[in-house]
Amino acid sequence: MTSATDGTTAAHGTTGTTTGTTTGTTTGTTTGSSTPGQATDPTQGPEGTGARSQRPSSKAFREFVGSGWAPRPDVLPEQGEGSRHAVARRGRLSARFPGERLVVPAGGLQVRSNDTDHRFRPHTAFAYLTGTGGSTEPDCVLVLEPTDDGHDAVLFFRPRAGRDTEEFYADARYGELWVGTRQSLEEVSAETGLAARHLDELADALGKDLGTVGVRLVRDAHRDVTDLLDEARAAAGVEPVGARAADAVLADEVSSMRCVKDAWEVDQLREAVAATARGFEDVVRALPRAAGHPRGERVVEGVFGARAREEGNGVGYEVIAAAGEHACTLHWIRNDGRVDADALVLVDAGVEVDSLYTADVTRTLPVCGRFTEPQRRVYQAVLDAADAAFAAARPGATIRDVHEAAMVVVADRLAVWGLLPVTAEESRDTATGGQHRRWMVHGTSHHLGLDVHDCARLSRETYQGQALEEGMVFTIEPGLYFRPDDLLVPEELRGIGVRIEDDVVVTADGVENLSAALPRDPDEVEAWMASLRG
């Protein structure tokens, strides 16, 4: 997926540490200085109507609904694999901030409409430092409490209530009859390997010795936690501007830590890419149906989304299913257009697995299974640019080097086609040229991991200029986009948009293409499509 900045990060949704997270105030909770998730019964709507509304319960009903249930299992869950790998990450963060309290919320639910919420996804910093993936409950908060030899990690969590409580049957936000069985403190501790404390204790934990102990918070993860700490800081006389600057350093550090993936993370990305490849196979099989549907792009989106939900947590970002001229809009996610048989369809999609690591792959496919001559001409230019970027990607090079290698091919090809008003060399001069960017305004690469645009809190200069090293995972995704109303382009090229995107991991002497199972060469693409259609 492309980014909005040439040479910085490449093609989808928004960038930043919070890409794909849900943050903000929890539905049904109090706001401001309240503990997140600490609330009255959310089923009691202001007008007392709707499916979530409840009439006041009689004592007889409360006793009846709380009785006659089988005992809960007494076997604790095993610690999750992701949680085991998170221990080392917390150790590295602890060493970076000795003697300071570090606060990393998971985030809260985000309202979709009235009293319905978006499906929850924890903040990326929380997911990275706990390894809990998509099993995280809203409103959890990780606190690293300083000790003489590092930090103790504590997870603040709202455990399930007893069946004899009103929450059990009447609370649409937490109640077991509404959202399913939630864990006890003992269960969540066993599964995460973390000490677990009740969320009601969070306020006291954050405010403890606040005048003498430095506290840093990932501010954008949960508004209620941020408000809670800011008020505690104000009461303790902590200078707010300096506190916010300290918070930003923590968020930056957790973002930069993710630049180099360990072996387990790379394996998660391999799984995400493999599932994504199967999703693309599904898309190819569905193209005849899409071509006969008035909103064929929705067919493509739905087919891929089904694979993502069946094999993983869902899609890692909104699917781009851009047919024909829609492929010239970089972030086309409306996906409400036709898929004509003689057009190309640009599909930019990735499966996010249960650990929340996501793939990010783009293929541009001829709907009928065969490229026309103009389509192949543009496609081959983009493929040649991608191959040049692959050749430049190696330890010690930079993302800027990868981008510039692709731009040499893009500018040269546009010059050969007579589209540039200057020479290719003059266009590549960033100070005085750049004309080739009219047809490729995005960057060629971005880091990939828990976020589709991972590590995005890095400064622009660091992002582009840091040396690639073994274990880094990023995309290579050049493109060319000739809008249908572009009068500087020959008529036969207007409305053609092509992007080819692969996910790579840096090795000792180059890069490995994690998405190599999906064909890139135009002849191989045609043969692959034919094989899938029988």
Side-chain angles (χ1 to χ4, degrees):
M1 175 169 235
T2 61
S3 75
T5 306
D6 182 20
T8 305
T9 58
H12 332 283
T14 57
T15 61
T17 304
T18 58
T19 299
T21 63
T22 53
T23 60
T25 306
T26 302
T27 299
T29 68
T30 53
T31 58
S33 60
S34 64
T35 300
Q38 189 178 54
T40 55
D41 177 8
T43 66
Q44 305 298 327
E47 301 177 7
T49 60
R52 286 186 167 187
S53 299
Q54 297 286 329
R55 297 183 179 216
S57 303
S58 68
K59 181 175 183 293
F61 173 78
R62 291 195 299 270
E63 291 176 349
F64 178 72
V65 79
S67 65
W69 301 102
R72 299 185 189 277
D74 57 4
V75 178
L76 294 177
E78 295 183 359
Q79 184 177 356
E81 185 179 11
S83 295
R84 293 196 296 273
H85 289 277
V87 174
R89 300 172 201 157
R90 293 195 296 271
R92 298 204 312 272
L93 191 67
S94 173
R96 175 67 175 81
F97 300 104
E100 298 184 75
R101 182 176 300 133
L102 309 178
V103 184
V104 186
L109 289 171
Q110 198 168 52
V111 175
R112 182 187 186 277
S113 173
N114 191 21
D115 60 352
T116 62
D117 304 311
H118 289 284
R119 184 179 289 119
F120 178 71
R121 183 193 188 278
H123 191 282
T124 296
F126 180 92
Y128 183 69
L129 294 170
T130 62
T132 51
S135 64
T136 302
E137 284 281 341
D139 301 323
C140 293
V141 181
L142 173 68
V143 176
L144 300 185
E145 185 65 27
T147 64
D148 291 339
D149 57 355
H151 286 81
D152 287 337
V154 181
L155 182 65
F156 289 85
F157 172 79
R158 179 172 174 134
R160 65 172 177 259
R163 289 160 168 160
D164 59 345
T165 65
E166 202 164 286
E167 177 183 299
F168 171 68
Y169 69 88
D171 191 326
R173 168 61 188 83
Y174 290 105
E176 190 168 327
L177 297 189
W178 294 83
V179 300
T181 304
R182 303 176 67 254
Q183 290 181 310
S184 67
L185 289 176
E186 294 77 16
E187 288 167 342
V188 77
S189 180
E191 188 170 270
T192 63
L194 298 166
R197 292 169 59 185
H198 199 291
L199 192 62
D200 289 349
E201 301 177 38
L202 177 64
D204 290 340
L206 295 186
K208 180 183 176 183
D209 301 324
L210 197 54
T212 57
V213 176
V215 179
R216 296 178 189 262
L217 164 72
V218 177
R219 294 186 65 83
D220 61 359
H222 200 306
R223 191 184 76 194
D224 286 355
V225 179
T226 299
D227 290 347
L228 184 69
L229 181 56
D230 282 349
E231 292 189 11
R233 282 168 165 169
V238 177
E239 196 278 317
V241 175
R244 285 174 170 78
D247 292 344
V249 172
L250 173 61
D252 292 347
E253 181 66 21
V254 180
S255 181
S256 64
M257 284 174 64
R258 300 200 305 272
C259 284
V260 177
K261 272 63 178 177
D262 60 33
W264 181 80
E265 291 180 284
V266 174
D267 284 343
Q268 294 302 297
L269 288 163
R270 289 185 193 280
E271 290 183 14
V273 171
T276 297
R278 291 188 286 274
F280 272 87
E281 292 175 351
D282 296 338
V283 166
V284 171
R285 295 186 184 100
L287 283 179
R289 180 163 65 91
H293 195 285
R295 292 199 293 182
E297 291 174 342
R298 293 279 170 93
V299 173
V300 173
E301 176 188 351
V303 165
F304 188 89
R307 175 68 67 173
R309 284 295 285 167
E310 289 169 12
E311 294 201 18
N313 188 56
V315 293
Y317 52 92
E318 293 290 339
V319 172
I320 296 172
E325 65 186 52
H326 290 165
C328 301
T329 300
L330 299 181
H331 293 168
W332 179 262
I333 58 172
R334 285 166 52 182
N335 300 340
D336 59 359
R338 296 184 58 85
V339 176
D340 294 329
D342 60 350
L344 298 176
V345 59
L346 186 157
V347 183
D348 186 335
V351 172
E352 178 184 82
V353 292
D354 290 339
S355 62
L356 303 185
Y357 287 84
T358 184
D360 179 7
V361 177
T362 306
R363 289 295 184 265
T364 306
L365 308 170
V367 175
C368 69
R370 306 273 310 174
F371 292 97
T372 66
E373 189 282 325
Q375 291 169 352
R376 181 180 281 260
R377 193 190 325 162
V378 177
Y379 186 97
Q380 188 65 54
V382 174
L383 180 60
D384 291 345
D387 287 344
F390 268 90
R394 60 188 181 279
T398 66
I399 280 180
R400 181 183 292 113
D401 295 332
V402 174
H403 177 74
E404 290 177 352
M407 291 307 96
V408 169
V409 175
V410 167
D412 286 353
R413 204 61 52 90
L414 292 171
V416 169
W417 295 343
L419 302 186
L420 295 180
V422 296
T423 66
E425 291 77 11
E426 290 169 329
S427 183
R428 292 199 305 271
D429 187 326
T430 56
T432 60
Q435 289 84 351
H436 62 280
R437 294 186 59 227
R438 176 186 178 107
W439 297 288
M440 183 182 162
V441 298
H442 63 81
T444 304
S445 299
H446 61 80
H447 285 278
L448 182 67
L450 284 167
D451 281 337
V452 68
H453 290 155
D454 215 17
C455 317
R457 288 188 64 96
L458 296 174
S459 69
R460 176 186 174 91
E461 183 54 40
T462 301
Y463 204 110
Q464 292 183 339
Q466 67 178 339
L468 298 177
E469 55 182 293
E470 192 169 358
M472 287 184 173
V473 179
F474 62 95
T475 65
I476 293 178
E477 51 174 315
L480 281 171
Y481 313 93
F482 300 120
R483 296 182 66 85
D485 56 351
D486 190 341
L487 301 182
L488 300 187
V489 174
E491 188 172 356
E492 69 270 17
L493 299 185
R494 294 176 195 167
I496 294 177
V498 174
R499 181 163 64 251
I500 304 170
E501 178 180 19
D502 288 285
D503 303 339
V504 304
V505 57
V506 181
T507 63
D509 56 1
V511 292
E512 176 192 349
N513 184 358
L514 299 176
S515 46
L518 286 171
R520 300 164 69 248
D521 176 85
D523 291 336
E524 293 176 358
V525 168
E526 291 178 346
W528 170 68
M529 293 181 69
S531 70
L532 291 172
R533 292 176 175 182

